[in-house]
Amino acid sequence: MLDHPRTPRVLAGVTLAASAGLALARGNRKAQIAAATVIGTCNRLSEIRTPYGRDGADQMTAVVTQYRALTALIPDQRFSDDLFLRAVNFQAALSYAVSGVSKAFGSSWVQGDALIEVLRTEAYGSGPAAALLRRHPKLCRALTIGTVAWETAFPLVYLLPREQASHALSAVKAFHAGVAAAMELPRFVWGFFGAHGAVGYVLDTRGTPRTFEKAVVGIAGGVVLASALIAREKRLTARERRLGPKGSARLRHAGGDVEYRVDRPGDGAASRTVIVLECGLGQSLESWEWVAEGLARHHTVVRYHRSGYGLTTSRAASGDLLAAVLDEIGAEGEVVVVTHSIGSLSAASYVRDPRFADRVDKLVVVDGTDPALLDEDRTDRRRFGTFLQAQLYTLLAAVTGIYEWAPNAVERQAGYTPDTQFGHVQFVFSPRNVVNSVREYRAVRTEGALSRLGAVPSVLVVASDEFADQQAALAEKLGAKYEVVHGSAHRSIIGHRHHAEKVEDAVRRFVDAC
């Protein structure tokens, strides 16, 4: 029945009739409950019918009608109406603010390109108003950025004097009318205009000591604060573990500390060949755990944190830090460098250094960063904006502790033993490490990186399935051998044990064969 061609018309007709009944049912609680329930039911059936989901106007309409149906069940009419209006007001303020914040995490919005992109689509760009706007790209850019600004700042309307607040709401109404004209979405007018009455009610009753909004904001603020404090304590616990007797080692160098870890064969004998593992952007020593465990059966394995990460406070270059670590542990023989992600560019800064040139004759690049692609990303306004927004989101999750309660990519693509997983997650979501990731991303040098990496006598590129084509191109540039770990992603290639074991096997075969 839902798939029948006439169903949309039936649902629209029933909704229209129920809407008229709701408008005429002032003071009649039973009629309000019935009409609101019918509208909400039709809205839900339409949502089930379409595979594309519902837009913001449909969702706001559903909120208004469902809240009315529920609150109308409260016998005390005054309390019922007050709760209904405050609940709708809170939902309206939340919808505007969240919409603005989400747009701020979309590069096309903060770059000012989103509106013009929408108006170029067949669905939303066929009207005369859309055609007019397309002819004025500067105006579209201003409207795009302005939308992000006013939606994010909407809660400030509650701080304005009543007259100015009314003007602000009128401006918002004009915005919705403009959307309706340009994108031919008239539902936005009715869906959000219907919520503005509730906003006006709250503006008129400001100063009431106990309100729904204050209760919700207080509870939400308390939850966020508790989450932030719990996350902070967990990060401190992880740091204490790093400082403890079972944690990583540290040495003084160039006015600061260098954090490192050495894994040796079980018999305690130091192998002449030392394998150095370079971490990816913002990743911890623990990210190499599975690979290091396998390689350490026959080789000495060294991991260290570059400047600014973890407990490394020295500002020395990667080559200086690594040289100090190798000197500290007495490693004098051959060095095999294994890198992940941007760690390949860190290795490029020292593999041809006189201190390493005669020692590093084997290099393994695991899902490495192509210098040319990084240069493109850093110089392209939108790509660089996307990177910064992703780091800002990670920083927000770190500060508020959201990562402790919501699924995140770090935990999805890593599956270490419990203690290692705990330390790795807390490391990645450390605000200091997030900020340092941005610094390293912007500062890492790419000039001549390919030639220096390609100058290493033997090079192997190990690619994840996620970036197989990209890594194949990198291997060709380096004149390197090439392998793919099927089913893996950029982080999971060393984060999930079954993928990491394939990486470890590839490295071991490569080292033993040369």
Side-chain angles (χ1 to χ4, degrees):
M1 290 175 63
L2 284 177
D3 288 335
H4 195 279
R6 294 181 182 175
T7 297
R9 294 182 179 181
V10 173
L11 292 177
V14 173
T15 299
L16 183 60
S19 299
L22 185 60
L24 297 172
R26 288 191 175 189
N28 188 329
R29 318 293 284 177
K30 292 182 180 179
Q32 287 181 346
I33 294 172
T37 301
V38 169
I39 295 171
T41 301
C42 290
N43 192 294
R44 179 59 181 156
L45 290 174
S46 296
E47 186 177 343
I48 295 172
R49 185 181 189 278
T50 176
Y52 305 110
R54 309 294 280 166
D55 58 33
D58 295 316
Q59 294 164 2
M60 182 57 70
T61 300
V63 164
V64 173
T65 54
Q66 290 168 17
Y67 283 7
R68 179 69 286 186
L70 290 173
T71 57
L73 297 171
I74 299 174
D76 186 330
Q77 183 171 340
R78 183 175 179 179
F79 176 67
S80 168
D81 291 345
D82 182 77
L83 179 61
F84 164 65
L85 290 169
R86 293 187 182 281
V88 172
N89 162 74
F90 189 84
Q91 190 69 55
L94 191 65
S95 65
Y96 284 128
V98 169
S99 177
V101 171
S102 65
K103 287 181 176 68
F105 284 101
S107 62
S108 63
W109 282 95
V110 295
Q111 303 291 347
D113 301 323
L115 180 57
I116 194 68
E117 290 175 355
V118 171
L119 295 178
R120 285 172 179 162
T121 63
E122 183 178 352
Y124 299 117
S126 58
L132 178 64
L133 284 172
R134 284 198 299 269
R135 291 197 293 269
H136 298 84
K138 290 184 179 180
L139 175 60
C140 285
R141 177 162 293 177
L143 290 173
T144 302
I145 298 174
T147 299
V148 178
W150 81 255
E151 284 188 340
T152 305
F154 182 84
L156 297 178
V157 74
Y158 301 102
L159 304 179
L160 297 175
R162 185 63 174 92
E163 184 177 355
Q164 281 70 33
S166 296
H167 294 330
L169 288 176
S170 296
V172 174
K173 288 181 173 66
F175 166 80
H176 289 303
V179 169
M183 300 172 61
E184 299 182 334
L185 289 173
R187 293 193 309 277
F188 271 77
V189 172
W190 312 120
F192 286 93
F193 276 26
H196 286 185
V199 177
Y201 171 78
V202 170
L203 289 171
D204 290 334
T205 56
R206 284 180 290 187
T208 305
R210 295 180 182 178
T211 63
F212 175 81
E213 299 89 2
K214 292 177 181 177
V216 172
V217 170
I219 293 171
V223 170
V224 172
L225 179 60
S227 174
L229 292 175
I230 291 172
R232 181 175 179 273
E233 285 301 311
K234 287 189 174 183
R235 289 194 296 268
L236 289 175
T237 299
R239 179 179 173 81
E240 290 300 318
R241 289 184 179 181
R242 306 186 80 85
L243 291 167
K246 293 184 179 181
S248 52
R250 295 180 304 284
L251 65 89
R252 294 291 296 177
H253 177 72
D257 289 336
V258 184
E259 181 183 11
Y260 69 97
R261 183 168 298 175
V262 181
D263 298 290
R264 294 185 172 89
D267 57 9
S271 64
R272 180 165 179 78
T273 300
V274 175
I275 299 178
V276 174
L277 304 178
E278 282 278 358
C279 300
L281 186 72
Q283 300 299 293
S284 69
L285 295 176
E286 288 81 7
S287 65
W288 283 109
E289 190 71 12
W290 296 130
V291 176
E293 180 184 277
L295 293 175
R297 296 190 185 101
H298 305 289
H299 301 281
T300 298
V301 179
V302 174
R303 294 173 273 171
Y304 76 103
H305 278 146
R306 296 189 291 274
S307 176
Y309 287 116
L311 302 178
T312 296
T313 57
S314 173
R315 288 298 177 183
S318 299
D320 296 332
L321 298 178
L322 179 58
V325 171
L326 294 180
D327 184 63
E328 176 74 9
I329 66 174
E332 298 177 348
E334 178 188 10
V335 174
V336 176
V337 179
V338 183
T339 73
H340 179 235
S341 190
I342 210 169
S344 60
L345 298 183
S346 173
S349 69
Y350 62 76
V351 288
R352 293 293 88 192
D353 185 292
R355 294 171 295 180
F356 297 97
D358 295 331
R359 302 178 65 183
V360 178
D361 60 359
K362 301 181 185 68
L363 170 69
V364 180
V365 177
V366 181
D367 241 20
T369 298
D370 188 323
L373 294 180
L374 179 60
D375 282 338
E376 290 178 11
D377 289 344
R378 292 193 298 195
T379 55
D380 184 274
R381 191 162 49 95
R382 181 174 296 185
R383 292 183 191 175
F384 186 63
T386 300
F387 168 77
L388 289 180
Q389 287 164 332
Q391 297 306 306
L392 180 60
Y393 175 79
T394 304
L395 184 62
L396 177 65
V399 172
T400 60
I402 295 173
Y403 69 93
E404 290 289 347
W405 323 109
N408 60 75
V410 177
E411 292 186 293
R412 285 198 302 269
Q413 295 193 23
Y416 305 107
T417 55
D419 283 349
T420 300
Q421 181 84 343
F422 174 81
H424 177 62
V425 171
Q426 300 307 320
F427 182 97
V428 173
F429 285 101
S430 164
R432 177 174 175 266
N433 291 326
V434 174
V435 172
N436 197 64
S437 296
V438 176
R439 179 196 65 79
E440 183 177 39
Y441 181 87
R442 297 181 64 178
V444 66
R445 298 185 62 181
T446 57
E447 299 87 356
L450 277 178
S451 61
R452 290 193 295 273
L453 292 174
V456 177
S458 299
V459 183
L460 168 67
V461 172
V462 181
S464 68
D465 241 355
E466 183 179 8
F467 294 119
D469 293 340
Q470 183 188 104
Q471 293 300 295
L474 178 61
E476 185 176 351
K477 292 178 183 178
L478 295 174
K481 299 177 181 177
Y482 176 69
E483 293 187 24
V484 179
V485 177
H486 295 289
S488 64
H490 185 62
R491 287 194 183 100
S492 71
I493 192 172
I494 61 173
H496 285 169
R497 186 164 195 164
H498 55 287
H499 295 326
E501 287 176 344
K502 294 178 182 178
V503 173
E504 180 267 326
D505 179 65
V507 174
R508 181 170 43 77
R509 285 186 285 103
F510 180 68
V511 172
D512 293 344
C514 297

